[in-house]
Amino acid sequence: KAAESVAALQKMLLIHAHVRRGGQREDIPAEEVVPGDIVTFEAGDKVPADGRLIIAATLEIEEAALTGESTPVLKSVVPVVGEDVPLGDRIDMAYMNSTVTRGRGEMVVTATGMGTEVGQISGMLAGVQQEKTPLTRQLDQLTVIITIMAAVALGLVILFGLIRGDDFDDLFVIGIALAIAAIPTGLPAVVTTMLSLGTQALAAKGAIIKRLRSVETLGSTSAICSDKTGTLTLNQMTARQLLIAGRRYSIEGEGYATEGKI
């Protein structure tokens, strides 16, 4: 499924590759690129695969999707020395789905599809197990407790009834009726209603929730720690405060817009 999602992403974005094969330049769909191909790109192109650069003319590539850094990276053909070099420091490499912002380059394809860095991320996401939220765990515990109490009540009703000399069949029917009555059949509807109200409250604050159970998880969150919130939201970091000689200035505006004031 992860491999299919990578191929679907390439088709959705209509990524094409400029490839040199047999001395001839061809424009082919990105999913047809294979390791060993020579791919060329310039400003405005999306890199169709992972590869090692052999030409980098003032080449800058934006790799925010992989590194979280919104600033384009200046690339070079000089090999990076070392083992386990962080992805953001591999300036001699270009990665699939990153965007060329300046210059032109040429690379030898080293990985495609699920072998790329984007493909590995997609594979990890496909293998993520859905954990139960605190509310779900509490509801599971409540269900177990109610079931045990209903079973105990059923046994006690039958036991005391037999001691009094009542008919077993009648006692069994009464016990089953009491056990069923103890189960809160309206609880799922109440929980769904409460989560829906939470979704509306978050939507009024500008937060759109895709899954109802995420409302409870987000509602129990007291703090979200991030080094660069602008990278997560707009992919644009914005200065908010300026300190000069002991004086503090607040800065308005969003992203690269020229509106706002100090």
Side-chain angles (χ1 to χ4, degrees), residues 81-159:
V81 180
E83 297 181 0
D84 297 327
V85 179
L87 189 145
D89 295 335
R90 302 173 195 171
I91 59 174
D92 60 337
M93 297 288 293
Y95 297 101
M96 175 179 155
N97 281 355
S98 55
T99 304
V100 181
T101 59
R102 182 186 178 198
R104 66 180 185 87
E106 193 169 292
M107 72 176 186
V108 178
V109 176
T110 58
T112 59
M114 292 302 295
T116 63
E117 294 293 334
V118 173
Q120 294 178 21
I121 294 174
S122 179
M124 289 188 292
L125 292 175
V128 172
Q129 295 182 352
Q130 294 291 341
E131 296 185 359
K132 293 184 177 180
T133 65
L135 178 61
T136 304
R137 291 195 294 268
Q138 292 174 4
L139 290 175
D140 290 343
Q141 294 174 0
L142 178 62
T143 302
V144 173
I145 293 174
I146 292 176
T147 302
I148 294 174
M149 293 178 63
V152 172
L154 172 61
L156 291 176
V157 167
I158 295 177
L159 177 62

Side-chain angles (χ1 to χ4, degrees), residues 3 16 57 62 77 84 87 95 116 148-150 188 192 207 219-220 235 242:
H16 282 72
E62 183 265 315
V77 296
D84 297 327
L87 189 145
Y95 297 101
T116 63
I148 294 174
M149 293 178 63
T192 302
S220 61
N235 198 26
L242 178 64

